[in-house]
Amino acid sequence: PEEFVYGEEDFVLHVAGWGDPDSAPSRFDRVLLAGWSDRMERGLFRYRLGPLPTRVLPGPVRIVVQLNEQRSAERRPPQPVRSLRDPFDPGAFNFTRLRPAELLFRLRRTGGPGPPPDPLLVAINASPLERGHVLLLPEPARRLPQVLTAPALRGALEAALLSAHPGFRVGFNGLGGGASVNHLHFHGLYLGSPLPLEEAPAEPLGPCLGLLRAGPAPAFLFFAPGPAALEPVSRAVCRAAEHLVGAGLAYNVLATRGDPPAGPGAGGGRGLRVLLWARRPLFGPKAGEPFAVALCELAGLLPLPAEPLYRDITELQALSAIRQHLLPEPELLHLGGELARLLEN
């Protein structure tokens, strides 16, 4: 694939607000969306994605639900995962098997602060959640399992800063946390709705860690006010994620544009919020679940597989399905204390 070479001058530090008529796509957005639309026209996806029915569930959490029946029916079955430390399996589906036409471009940074992050291949997600849904792949030939590394996460966070769209978000599903392929990858998503976790204040746990209770699931919050903070934030998130795995817990990560941890009225400009969810691991489908729970669901966006469920689900039902995967409050707070001490040392 062609290279998309970027430097610090390509980071979009101030994105337009939701629905701002003056917002313009960045160079990254234009190249990504043009390539994505071209592959859709060429029939490289498992289904043709049109506008998705979307509504906000009545209630204080304001969960966004979408009907995406084709993804449920047409996507590749998730890979079986047996443990939090499953090795890469060359016999299972992995991203070395992508067709060349599924690759859009390779992201590579020149210059800028610190050592460059891992280059990332940007490929279509053949079973998309939204227009522009892509995979961000640290060199697939290295055959790394689905475990966060700081250089790869930093590259993904830099990709988030290349977009001028307020809803471009980057996410990661860990093993036992909804990952469907055990080969290191991130998701890049253009989501069409603001979410409460962008601006809600967090409870401070330490100098660089907060607890964010907005949305359906509490998350540990890290914040990067600008590009120079991406490297220390990437290292901190990976240290915390490794601690979770050592404690027998799965995790999910989401990076989104947002306010400083103290909230929008506390001074300081918007930057990148990085959320880390700790959860009980799940290996294989769980009978009777209305939907699988991965990073989108934890963030408050529910892609639903059937029209009756989309029509009838209540906030209470959605929260019940999500929260059965979470830790009890005392366990969560104890874990937060452990992470704060870990990151201070």
Side-chain angles (χ1 to χ4, degrees), residues 112-162:
D118 283 354
L120 297 175
L121 278 174
V122 180
I124 63 169
N125 187 320
S127 302
L129 284 164
E130 283 275 10
R131 176 174 175 262
H133 183 180
V134 293
L135 300 170
L136 306 173
L137 308 172
E139 188 49 61
R142 293 167 64 193
R143 301 186 171 201
L144 297 173
Q146 181 68 347
V147 175
L148 271 184
T149 68
L153 177 58
R154 185 174 172 207
L157 298 184
E158 290 194 356
L161 290 187
L162 291 173

Side-chain angles (χ1 to χ4, degrees), residues 11-319:
F11 293 140
V12 183
L13 302 182
H14 305 287
V15 300
W18 288 95
D20 189 328
D22 297 326
S23 63
S26 66
R27 179 169 70 99
F28 172 82
D29 296 319
R30 292 193 300 271
V31 171
L32 188 156
L33 291 170
W36 194 94
S37 298
D38 169 73
R39 289 356 181 242
M40 179 63 74
E41 290 304 314
R42 288 160 60 183
L44 290 168
F45 291 81
R46 288 175 170 254
Y47 48 86
R48 190 167 187 87
L49 188 74
L52 297 171
T54 304
R55 69 187 185 97
V56 178
L57 296 183
V61 182
R62 299 193 58 75
I63 294 172
V64 179
V65 294
Q66 282 188 327
L67 178 61
N68 192 337
E69 294 173 293
Q70 290 171 295
R71 177 175 166 84
S72 173
E74 303 290 342
R75 69 178 297 202
R76 181 184 295 106
Q79 229 173 68
V81 174
R82 295 167 295 279
S83 80
L84 297 173
R85 299 192 188 273
D86 263 11
F88 176 86
D89 178 3
F93 172 80
N94 62 78
F95 299 118
T96 66
R97 301 184 184 181
L98 293 179
R99 296 168 289 180
E102 294 181 67
L103 305 177
L104 301 180
F105 51 88
R106 176 183 270 106
L107 275 176
R108 182 171 65 83
R109 176 163 71 72
T110 59
D118 283 354
L120 297 175
L121 278 174
V122 180
I124 63 169
N125 187 320
S127 302
L129 284 164
E130 283 275 10
R131 176 174 175 262
H133 183 180
V134 293
L135 300 170
L136 306 173
L137 308 172
E139 188 49 61
R142 293 167 64 193
R143 301 186 171 201
L144 297 173
Q146 181 68 347
V147 175
L148 271 184
T149 68
L153 177 58
R154 185 174 172 207
L157 298 184
E158 290 194 356
L161 290 187
L162 291 173
S163 174
H165 190 290
F168 183 73
R169 292 155 179 151
V170 168
F172 180 92
N173 293 317
L175 297 177
S180 60
V181 178
N182 185 14
H183 192 181
L184 184 55
H185 68 286
F186 299 84
H187 293 269
L189 289 160
Y190 289 89
L191 300 180
S193 305
L195 297 171
L197 49 76
E198 297 166 23
E199 59 179 23
E203 302 165 22
L205 296 176
C208 63
L209 184 70
L211 179 63
L212 184 69
R213 295 183 182 273
F220 297 112
L221 176 65
F222 303 77
F223 183 70
L230 296 183
E231 184 179 18
V233 164
S234 298
R235 283 190 278 107
V237 172
C238 287
R239 286 187 73 194
E242 177 57 31
H243 182 83
L244 297 184
V245 172
L249 298 170
Y251 61 89
N252 303 78
V253 176
L254 178 75
T256 182
R257 302 282 183 159
D259 289 293
R270 284 169 70 86
L272 207 58
R273 285 186 165 202
V274 184
L275 291 90
L276 173 69
W277 284 279
R279 56 182 291 173
R280 303 224 177 279
L282 179 65
F283 304 117
K286 191 170 181 181
E289 280 201 315
F291 51 84
V293 175
L295 71 94
C296 284
E297 291 77 9
L298 294 168
L301 175 81
L302 271 57
L304 297 177
E307 200 280 331
L309 180 63
Y310 169 79
R311 182 188 65 229
D312 298 334
I313 193 169
T314 65
E315 182 180 271
L316 192 62
Q317 291 167 332
L319 291 176

